Structure formats: C-alpha cells, structure tokens
C-alpha cells in the first residue's frame, strides 16, 4: 500500500508538537500529527496544567485559614482530596478537548497511534487498526520526556510516586519525603504541605530551587520552613527500604547517613527524553544522554528531520517547546525563523511563595565577567502587596554596569509568575535601563515593584 503523503508529520502532540502542527497548517502545509496517548502531551495532561489546578486548591485552602485577617469567617476549613484531584483531571480533560477542536479548525490530520521513523521521509504508525505508512518532506520529532528513575529509588505507585501518581494520589500522605527541589519537587511539596502533610524535602545541591538566584532560594527556603516544611540541603537519599505502609529512607547528610520513616515518597529527580523505539539512531540522528542533538534551529543533521521540546534538551519547559514548534513549522514552510535565545526563556515555579526568573543570576553574571549593578525591591514597600495581604517577597534585577543591559531578573512572592513576562519583553527588545526607568507602571499593581527594582539598581528607588 502506498504511504499517505503529507508536507509535515509531527510525532507527539505536546506543547511542542501540537503547536508545530497548528502553525504548519496555518502556513498552508498539509500536516499530520501522531500521538500515542493524549493530545496536549505531559504539559496539559500530567504537568503544567493539572499541577496548577491542584495548587490553586491549596492556595484557596490556605486563604480559608486566613479568612479572619480579611474580616471573613469560615466555619471549618477542610478539603476532599478526591474532589481536588477530580477538578484537576477535569481541567486537563477540557484542555485536551481544546486541542482536538484546534486541530479540526486548522485541518490538521490527527492520528492516534505510535510513530516510528522508517527513513527517507517515511514514518510508520501503529494504531488500533494496524500499521499505517506515512511520508513527508518534513518530520518533527516532539516525543517529550518522562520522569528519571534512580536505581533503588524507583517509583512503585504505592509508597514511592512519580508526578503521575502525585497528581492522582491513592491517599493523602501523612509523612511525605520529596526527593529533589527543582520546580516539580517543590510544587508537590508545597501542595501536600499546605494540605497538612508533614513534608521533608531532600536536595543534593547546596540550596533549594538550585537554578535560581541564591538570594531567591534563601528567601523561598525561609518561607517553606515557616510553613512547616523540613528542608535538607547537600543531602542525598541513598536507599529506600519499603515495607507495608512505610518507607525507611537512608539520607546522607554532613558525611553521616541517617534513617527516617515516611509513608509516602515523591521522586522528582529530573527527566529523561523519550528517544527509544523511534528509529532515530537507525536513520543517523545523534542522541546524547537521552536527548536528541540539534542545532539552534532544531535540525538534527538528517535532512528534513527536526527535534523540538523536551526531547531536544533543556530547558524542559512548555513555552520553549512551543516556540521551537513555531520555528520548525516556519522553516518547513520556507520562512526565515528565529532561533531561541536561551537567556530570554523565563522559568516559573508555582510553589507558595511563587518564584520566577529570566536571564543570569547575580553569581552567573559575575562569573561571566560582568561588572554588575543590582537592584532590589521588597513586597513590603508595595501598596498592592499590602492590600492583598501578601507582604512577603522581593524583586531583584541584575544589570551590566557598563552598558545598562538587563542581564537577569529574579522574583519571589505572590503572582510573580504573571509579572516576569514584563522583563522577558524587555530582554527580547534589548531595552536599556533608561527605557525601563522611563516606563510608566500602573498603580496600584505588583508590577510597580519591577519598576522600583530597576530604579534601585541606579540609586533612584522611591518607596524604600
Ligand atoms: P510532551 O508534553 O512530553 O509531549 C510529548 C508527546 O509525545 C506525549 O503526548 C507522548 O504521548 C507523545 N509520544 C511519545 N512518543 C511517541 C511516539 N512514538 N508516537 C506518538 N506519540 C508519542 N513546564 C512549564 O513550562 N511550566 C510548568 O509549570 C510545568 N510544570 C510541570 C509539572 C510537571 C509535574 C511536569 C512533569 C512537567 C512540567 N513542565 C512544566 C514541563 C512541561 O510539561 C514540558 O516541558 C512539556 O510538556 C514538553 O513538551 P513536549 O511537547 O516536548 O513534550
């Protein structure tokens, strides 16, 4: 049987793949998108979106406990974990349905099945109905990633969970160990701790949220500890002894191994790319430590084959995947495309307090040889933050003292994940410190702190 021919075949319908498919179709390409499990990928089904739905429940629960502060009363603040999860799953389902509609609207051919590259522009797809052969000039591999499993610490779905189980928990943990304090680990720690789990976070690096600016990590840690979390830094879980209903964790810290008992462990120690079974190496695509090697245009070196999103390496973020999706679709349509500038991709963590950043930390800027000017502004100096009852946090900006370039921005506190985009646009447009200082920020908003932080770097802050 002859292969069905398309202009572009996308493998995987996560935020990388579905966006590539839609953009390609908008540009007039005949596009097929093959997905083996669920439209929307990890992001919409098991990542960004369902976690935010769960964290929203935790936030409302937290605010219920603070009702009195706002002149309100709540009889008895309580929660129903099953209902919290049901809401989160419903949100994911709604999002998945949205992708289906968008595919229809844009005339993307959506195929549910498992795809494999067969060489020379061919893709073979295994569906419930059998094996189908497709062909295209452009093939986009967007198969994403899954949780990394460390030997001895593997998830079992009962006592030791990955993010999937943590999003559909079989019970409410009483004594919870979270291994890893990157964005995923700390968001789950924040969720379960807020709902009352006695939560310990173990981080192998010297601080929580280790990719963030050191001052932001330190501030966030103080807040987590205030909320009752136990944080163990420069610590490593060496072994988990599992028995009925409990896990004894052997944790190495300060040269000694201590044993602690938990009823639940969440392992959040990173991710590995879904590179297996795709026929990548057979057609000559290079793989380095579970990620496809690409150039800045996501080209694999094999004519017409691109890799985007999590499978193409860090940062493992949905918006990076989507940007790459747009870029490869535009390349496939013969347009001039803009490669990503890694230092303009913001990272957001939706713990309580939230953390958001873009560009270089102060330490990284100094390491890179910059003479820096640093500005800081605390939430306590902002009227909107006080009115919201959110006086804890700060905004930090790092400038090149010589040129005035905004090298990095770092924030911790309420709603900072919404605010960071202001600085992202500034960096994208290569805005000077003068432009930022002359910009008028609306009042009263939390964003005024972004202005004040810039002013503070140049000795001109008004409200501190
Ligand atoms: P994915 O979303 O992983 O999609 C890949 C798709 O390919 C999957 O649907 C898979 O089924 C399919 N597939 C794989 N192999 C095949 C095959 N052979 N044939 C057909 N289909 C195949 N990022 C953020 O930016 N913000 C966040 O707040 C955030 N929160 C997260 C929270 C959690 C708990 C997790 C786990 C991740 C989070 N992420 C977040 C990361 C984000 O989910 C990923 O960066 C993003 O999903 C990557 O998109 P992708 O398109 O590369 O891959």
């Amino acid at each position: 049987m002859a292969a069905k021919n398309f202009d572009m075949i996308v493998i995987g319908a996560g935020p990388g793949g579905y966006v590539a498919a839609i953009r390609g179709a908008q540009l007039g390409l005949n596009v097929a998108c093959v997905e083996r499990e669920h439209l929307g990928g990890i992001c919409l089904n098991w990542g960004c979106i369902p976690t935010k739905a769960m964290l929203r429940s935790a936030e409302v629960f937290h605010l219920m406990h603070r009702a009195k502060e706002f002149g309100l009363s709540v009889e008895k603040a309580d929660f129903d974990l099953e209902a919290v999860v049901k809401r989160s799953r419903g949100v994911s389902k709604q999002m998945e349905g949205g992708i289906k509609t968008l595919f229809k609207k844009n005339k993307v051919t959506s195929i549910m099945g498992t795809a494999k590259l067969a060489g020379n522009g061919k893709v073979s797809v295994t569906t419930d109905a059998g094996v189908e052969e497709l062909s295209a000039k452009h093939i986009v591999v967007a198969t994403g990633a899954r949780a990394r499993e460390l030997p001895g610490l593997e998830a079992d779905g009962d006592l030791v969970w990955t993010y999937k189980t943590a999003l559909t928990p079989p019970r409410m943990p009483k004594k919870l160990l979270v291994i890893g304090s990157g964005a995923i680990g700390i968001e789950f720690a924040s969720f379960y701790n807020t709902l009352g789990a006695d939560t310990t976070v173990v981080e192998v690096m010297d601080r929580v949220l280790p990719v963030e600016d050191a001052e932001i990590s330190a501030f966030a840690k103080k807040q987590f500890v205030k909320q009752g979390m136990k944080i163990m830094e420069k610590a490593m879980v060496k072994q988990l002894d599992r028995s009925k209903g409990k896990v004894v964790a052997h944790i190495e810290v300060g040269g000694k191994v201590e044993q602690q008992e938990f009823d639940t462990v969440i392992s959040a120690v990173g991710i590995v790319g879904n590179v297996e079974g795709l026929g990548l190496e057979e057609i000559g695509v290079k793989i380095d430590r579970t990620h496809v090697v690409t150039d800045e245009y996501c080209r694999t070196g094999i004519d017409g084959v691109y890799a985007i999103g999590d499978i193409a390496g860090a940062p493992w973020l949905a918006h990076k995947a989507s940007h790459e999706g747009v870029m490869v679709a535009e390349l496939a349509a013969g347009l001039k495309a803009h490669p990503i500038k890694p230092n303009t991709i913001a990272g957001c963590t939706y713990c309580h307090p939230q953390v958001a950043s873009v560009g270089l930390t102060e330490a990284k800027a100094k390491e890179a040889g910059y003479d820096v000017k640093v500005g800081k502004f605390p939430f306590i100096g902002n009227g909107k933050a006080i009115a919201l009852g959110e006086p804890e946090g700060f905004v930090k900006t790092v400038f090149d003292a010589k040129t005035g370039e905004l090298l990095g921005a770092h924030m911790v506190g309420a709603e900072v994940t919404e605010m960071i985009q202001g600085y992202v646009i500034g960096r994208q447009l290569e805005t000077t410190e003068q432009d930022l200082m002359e910009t008028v920020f609306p009042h009263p908003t939390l964003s005024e702190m972004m202005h004040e932080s810039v002013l503070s770097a140049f000795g001109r802050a008004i409200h501190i």
Side-chain angles (χ1 to χ4, degrees):
M1 199 170 70
K4 253 192 227 163
N5 190 47
F6 293 88
D7 297 322
M8 184 166 90
I9 299 169
V10 182
I11 307 177
Y18 84 73
V19 169
I22 292 173
R23 185 69 187 126
Q26 281 175 348
L27 292 169
L29 302 179
N30 181 15
V31 182
C33 183
V34 187
E35 168 57 50
R36 69 178 175 191
E37 200 179 347
H38 34 37
L39 301 181
I42 292 298
C43 175
L44 270 56
N45 296 283
W46 297 105
C48 326
I49 301 298
T51 50
K52 276 39 181 209
M54 304 255 285
L55 283 158
R56 174 72 171 151
S57 291
E59 187 185 0
V60 174
F61 186 59
H62 167 75
L63 285 173
M64 280 159 72
H65 284 93
R66 292 181 55 194
K68 220 169 157 198
E69 259 179 64
F70 297 93
L72 309 170
S73 64
V74 169
E75 285 274 302
K76 186 181 174 300
D78 207 352
F79 66 90
D80 170 353
L81 187 61
E82 230 179 276
V84 169
V85 171
K86 194 172 167 216
R87 175 176 178 276
S88 161
R89 299 320 304 157
V91 170
S92 285
K93 189 115 204 82
Q94 184 179 340
M95 301 300 292
E96 191 190 1
I99 306 300
K100 206 177 271 175
T101 309
L102 288 172
F103 273 1
K104 223 184 223 166
K105 180 183 157 207
N106 287 285
K107 301 192 173 51
V108 170
T109 302
S110 180
I111 302 171
M112 291 311 288
T114 302
K116 187 176 186 308
L117 297 160
N120 296 324
K122 297 227 165 47
V123 172
S124 93
V125 182
T126 308
T127 67
D128 286 345
V131 177
E132 201 177 337
E133 300 294 331
L134 313 179
S135 67
K137 191 168 171 211
H138 304 280
I139 298 171
V140 181
V141 182
T143 51
R146 60 185 184 276
R148 178 185 296 281
E149 304 251 33
L150 295 179
L153 314 186
E154 293 93 348
D156 54 37
D158 174 23
L159 298 168
V160 184
W161 303 351
T162 61
Y163 54 82
K164 283 200 179 177
T165 316
L167 280 164
T168 47
R171 62 175 177 279
M172 174 66 199
K174 286 194 183 70
K175 200 157 185 298
L176 171 68
L177 168 65
V178 177
I179 311 175
S181 77
I184 295 176
I186 218 71
E187 286 186 6
F188 282 121
S190 204
F191 172 77
Y192 284 109
N193 187 65
T194 304
L195 293 194
D198 176 358
T199 306
T200 300
V201 178
V202 171
E203 170 55 55
V204 74
M205 306 295 278
D206 61 351
R207 57 199 168 85
V208 283
L209 294 165
V211 300
E212 300 296 341
D213 187 274
E215 281 186 289
I216 299 284
S217 288
F219 187 94
K221 177 186 172 185
K222 229 191 215 168
Q223 299 300 315
F224 299 150
V225 170
K226 242 198 211 169
Q227 293 160 18
M229 267 189 227
K230 291 166 203 80
I231 307 277
M232 298 174 76
E233 293 160 333
K234 286 199 207 157
M236 191 189 266
V237 177
K238 306 289 280 186
Q239 189 182 324
L240 295 175
D241 296 337
R242 307 164 205 223
S243 52
K244 197 167 175 0
K246 72 170 188 187
V247 180
V248 175
H250 299 237
I251 307 169
E252 188 180 283
V253 59
K256 285 195 208 120
V257 177
E258 53 182 73
Q259 295 186 8
Q260 288 192 38
E261 197 178 301
F262 300 91
D263 62 67
T264 308
V265 178
I266 296 177
S267 171
V269 292
I271 57 154
V272 290
N274 293 326
V275 287
E276 305 85 353
L278 281 167
L280 288 169
E281 280 160 314
E282 289 88 324
I283 64 160
V285 171
K286 283 202 184 69
I287 292 169
D288 179 24
R289 281 161 292 169
T290 81
H291 290 97
V292 173
V293 179
T294 64
D295 67 5
E296 58 178 346
Y297 291 100
C298 295
R299 295 179 297 210
T300 61
I302 303 301
D303 213 21
V305 180
Y306 309 83
I308 62 169
D310 279 5
I311 198 183
W316 298 283
L317 293 168
H319 39 294
K320 176 254 189 191
S322 296
H323 184 94
E324 290 178 342
V326 169
M327 181 176 74
V328 296
E330 293 184 349
L331 285 174
L335 302 182
K336 194 169 171 302
H338 297 277
I340 249 174
K341 294 187 221 158
N343 271 336
T344 57
I345 304 173
C348 296
T349 307
Y350 300 74
C351 46
H352 180 70
Q354 294 184 354
V355 172
S357 61
V358 63
L360 297 177
T361 62
E362 181 178 353
K364 282 259 161 21
K366 285 179 177 161
E367 250 172 55
Y370 287 103
D371 181 12
V372 297
K373 266 193 194 297
V374 173
K376 274 181 239 171
F377 192 84
F379 271 52
I380 192 82
N382 176 269
K384 179 74 181 289
I386 306 293
L388 290 179
E390 299 286 353
E392 266 137 19
F394 68 97
V395 177
K396 174 172 176 177
T397 40
V398 181
F399 287 90
D400 178 356
K402 276 197 203 89
T403 63
E405 182 190 352
L406 175 64
L407 298 171
H410 311 274
M411 311 188 201
V412 54
E415 303 303 338
V416 296
T417 56
E418 292 295 333
M419 290 202 286
I420 194 70
Q421 187 60 10
Y423 286 135
V424 173
I425 292 171
R427 279 187 57 77
Q428 177 70 20
L429 299 179
E430 296 178 4
T431 314
T432 65
E433 83 287 18
Q434 201 59 35
D435 290 327
L436 286 168
M437 285 195 278
E438 288 171 5
T439 301
V440 182
F441 285 71
H443 175 78
T445 61
L446 297 173
S447 72
E448 288 171 281
M449 291 184 279
M450 297 168 65
H451 193 210
E452 290 273 21
S453 177
V454 174
L455 292 172
S456 132
F458 298 91
R460 289 180 43 183
I462 303 291
H463 294 93
I464 37 166

